[in-house]
Amino acid sequence: MTYVEDELTSQPECWTRAAAQAGEHTRVLPTPGERVAVVGCGTSYFMAQAVAALREGAGQGETDAFAASEFPYGRAYDRVVALTRSGTTTEVLGLLDRLKGGTRTTALTADPETPVTTSADETVVLDYADERSVVQTRFATTALTLLRAHLGLHSDTAVEDARTALARPLPEGLVHRTQFTFLGRGWTVGLAHEAALKMREAALAWTESYPAMEYRHGPISVTTHSTATWMLGDAPEGLARQVRATGGSWIQGTLDPLAELVRAQRLAVAVAAARGLDPDRPRHLTRSIVLDS
């Protein structure tokens, strides 16, 4: 078993632990009414998008998400939350250092012995969700679970669905498709982007992701009998019918959307195996991006 397979299968246990611990971190996480920005890079940026949509949708305050390199320093925030598995990503550390003394910052990380613990004002360490793999799975979803629980939006159903996602076979023939599109709405748009990233990283697959309503505005033109379109969450009326009419495969997620992401992670590993690739050694990638000063 590869590192990434071993790590993605441990997610139900990680989520249970994170949800149980969320109350311990209330003091350092956003409070209702605060104006918040959530930042990250790569996978963490897509999780930031999901968190921002969940928090604002829950009426807890204006919440934005940014890639750390694109943070708008001219805007005022009450708190910035940074997601960083390694705690060493150059863009995240630079952002936190620049905000020090002006804006309150909290970092969620997997390693308590990395520079982010001194760059951020407060740190939440999810060391039990750390990973050896380059391709992120359990840290990202565990961080999101902790934040969902902090918002009062986590339920045991998500954990049960994650176990189902690990046990249920993938749709027959899916690994042999040549193009994959993931769609989301609201907070699941970030999950769709992350699912597509997993496919690119692990399997070098042609993969796209969009807000579901945008799919009709051009992207559906590439859909054909060799493509698969996977909806995370509830689909817009009529979209499944339109996709099937092209000859493409439509996959409607029926589990909690975060559990559907687990299924997409499994698909990425399965496609990699079918193509003779090692998902633990993704092309051109390293576990953390550390740039020369």
Side-chain angles (χ1 to χ4, degrees), residues 125-179:
V125 178
L126 305 173
D127 51 356
Y128 55 88
D130 202 359
E131 297 161 328
R132 297 181 66 179
S133 60
V134 172
V135 175
Q136 277 201 60
T137 54
R138 72 182 179 192
F139 174 76
T141 61
T142 300
L144 180 53
T145 296
L146 183 140
L147 292 168
R148 283 180 85 183
H150 172 69
L151 293 169
L153 300 175
H154 172 77
S155 73
D156 291 340
T157 299
V159 176
E160 295 168 6
D161 281 358
R163 293 194 173 98
T164 299
L166 292 168
R168 178 184 297 175
L170 293 169
E172 186 176 353
L174 187 59
V175 296
H176 301 298
R177 299 282 172 165
T178 60
Q179 193 268 346

Side-chain angles (χ1 to χ4, degrees), residues 68-244:
S69 59
E70 299 296 324
F71 184 78
Y73 290 96
R75 295 189 189 179
Y77 291 98
D78 299 310
R79 184 183 300 273
V80 171
V81 177
L83 308 180
T84 170
R85 175 181 64 173
S86 68
T88 60
T89 304
T90 297
E91 300 100 300
V92 173
L93 295 179
L95 166 64
L96 294 174
D97 288 338
R98 186 166 172 179
L99 294 177
K100 188 173 288 291
T103 302
R104 288 174 293 175
T105 59
T106 299
L108 276 66
T109 188
D111 189 343
E113 304 298 331
T114 51
V116 76
T117 59
T118 57
S119 293
D121 297 327
E122 307 283 355
T123 308
V124 176
V125 178
L126 305 173
D127 51 356
Y128 55 88
D130 202 359
E131 297 161 328
R132 297 181 66 179
S133 60
V134 172
V135 175
Q136 277 201 60
T137 54
R138 72 182 179 192
F139 174 76
T141 61
T142 300
L144 180 53
T145 296
L146 183 140
L147 292 168
R148 283 180 85 183
H150 172 69
L151 293 169
L153 300 175
H154 172 77
S155 73
D156 291 340
T157 299
V159 176
E160 295 168 6
D161 281 358
R163 293 194 173 98
T164 299
L166 292 168
R168 178 184 297 175
L170 293 169
E172 186 176 353
L174 187 59
V175 296
H176 301 298
R177 299 282 172 165
T178 60
Q179 193 268 346
F180 303 87
T181 299
F182 295 91
L183 305 178
R185 301 180 82 179
W187 75 282
T188 71
V189 172
L191 302 187
H193 292 330
E194 171 58 11
L197 181 63
K198 291 289 88 72
M199 294 294 295
R200 288 191 287 268
E201 289 177 332
L204 304 182
W206 174 19
T207 318
E208 300 176 339
S209 52
Y210 303 96
M213 289 294 287
E214 286 295 302
Y215 196 53
R216 297 180 173 100
H217 293 270
I220 197 171
S221 63
V222 302
T223 306
T224 184
H225 66 278
S226 62
T227 66
T229 303
W230 192 323
M231 182 73 213
L232 283 75
D234 296 332
E237 180 66 29
L239 184 56
R241 183 174 62 255
Q242 286 180 269
V243 170
R244 292 190 181 107

Side-chain angles (χ1 to χ4, degrees), residues 41-56:
C41 299
T43 288
S44 293
Y45 171 43
F46 299 140
M47 296 299 102
Q49 291 178 329
V51 171
L54 281 170
R55 183 173 186 271
E56 192 157 312

